[in-house]
Amino acid sequence: MSTTTKIFLTGATGYIGGSILTRLLAHPDRPSFELTALVRNPDAAKKLAALGVKTISGSYDDLALLTDAAAQADVVFTMVCVTVWDQLPPAQAILAGLKQRFEQTSKPPILIHTSGAGIVMDITAHGHSGAQDTYSDLDAETLASRPGKALPMAVESALVRADEEGYVRSYLITPGTIFGLAKGPLVDLGVQHKHSLQLPLFFRTFIKRGRAATIGPGLNVWPAVSYNDNADLYLRLFDAARSSSSSVGHGREGFYFAESCEYSALEIAQASGRVLHKLGVAEVREPDEFSEEQVQASFGAFWEILSSTSRARGERARAQLGWSPKEGKAELLASVEREIEELLKDSKL
Ligand SMILES: NC(=O)c1ccc[n+]([C@@H]2O[C@H](COP(=O)([O-])OP(=O)(O)OC[C@H]3O[C@@H](n4cnc5c(N)ncnc54)[C@H](OP(=O)(O)O)[C@@H]3O)[C@@H](O)[C@H]2O)c1
């Protein structure tokens, strides 16, 4: 019997995906891993090949390719997209491949999918409120009947159904805002995205307008987790899922919120204002409110997500995986300065 674990990754050049691939490359079991990444950029593919990572050139548009790659895999990490409507076909293509794998091996493969805390957000907060029930990932029943104000969960629902059918074990990691600059060999090689998504979008806008700001009063609240703590959760889940399928929740019981603290948009804007003022980018330290035109021009269709409230407690990973995040609110606020300094070096912004 083969002792090789075949691992297929999507989004491996991303901020999250790069952190996971870096850790898999340094994993004590690395000699038994066959790592394959779906990659869009030929230069990144060449650099990954030099590190011993097989690459498949393609994207989420190549559904047959996704099915074939998943059909070869014991473990799939998907780190391309959170619950967005057009991601259902690629998710279904990957599930079709995993079903083939199960039919070949009689062993359900593992799927570790990246979702996001948007699944429990109140998209109608519009910066005016941080008040919302806090969702625990141990409460599968309440999670299944989330409020009608959150993003749809088409992909997550498909993964849970597939788990219930028994041909795959699905795990859904749902991070809050991930903070901190990515570091490591894949960043040094120019393969991995260095910045996270949510907060740097604000930082870039603040730099361009020369002052920090909020959408509405910025009272909306989100959970957050550091780059390292988030990667730690993925790896703990990967190790636990491989060694003991029964003690680790999957499917309907397989949501894992990654969070270590909460922040409001106003707190981030205030911290940014202090940094921008200190660095001579802003004359005024205190944030103001974006005008409606600025909100549309800067954030387009994403403005409602960026001004939403999401409150989530990651109790499952703490209870079942021994996950104990080390960085919290103080590190989140301290990361603002490093992020802004780094973005100021980038002429393209
Ligand atoms: N960062 C956060 O705070 C956070 C929190 C919760 C959830 N999430 C979710 O997690 C996912 C990954 O986040 P991230 O921060 O790692 O984003 P990212 O840095 O933008 O990485 C996205 C990855 O997906 C790849 N990709 C994008 N479109 C693709 C397509 N059509 N086909 C194949 N690959 C594609 C990118 O490849 P290229 O290198 O070729 O562009 C990259 O590897 C996102 O959907 C995000 O919503 C992120």
Side-chain angles (χ1 to χ4, degrees), residues 11-17 38 40 59-60 79-82 114-116 175-178 193 196-197:
T13 56
Y15 174 77
I16 297 176
L38 178 77
R40 298 193 293 183
S59 79
Y60 264 22
M79 298 168 290
V80 164
C81 213
V82 71
T114 305
S115 177
T177 299
I178 308 173
H193 305 177
S196 188
L197 295 175

Side-chain angles (χ1 to χ4, degrees), residues 75-92:
V75 181
V76 174
F77 284 92
T78 50
M79 298 168 290
V80 164
C81 213
V82 71
T83 328
V84 196
W85 308 269
D86 63 359
Q87 297 304 315
L88 192 51
Q92 286 167 329

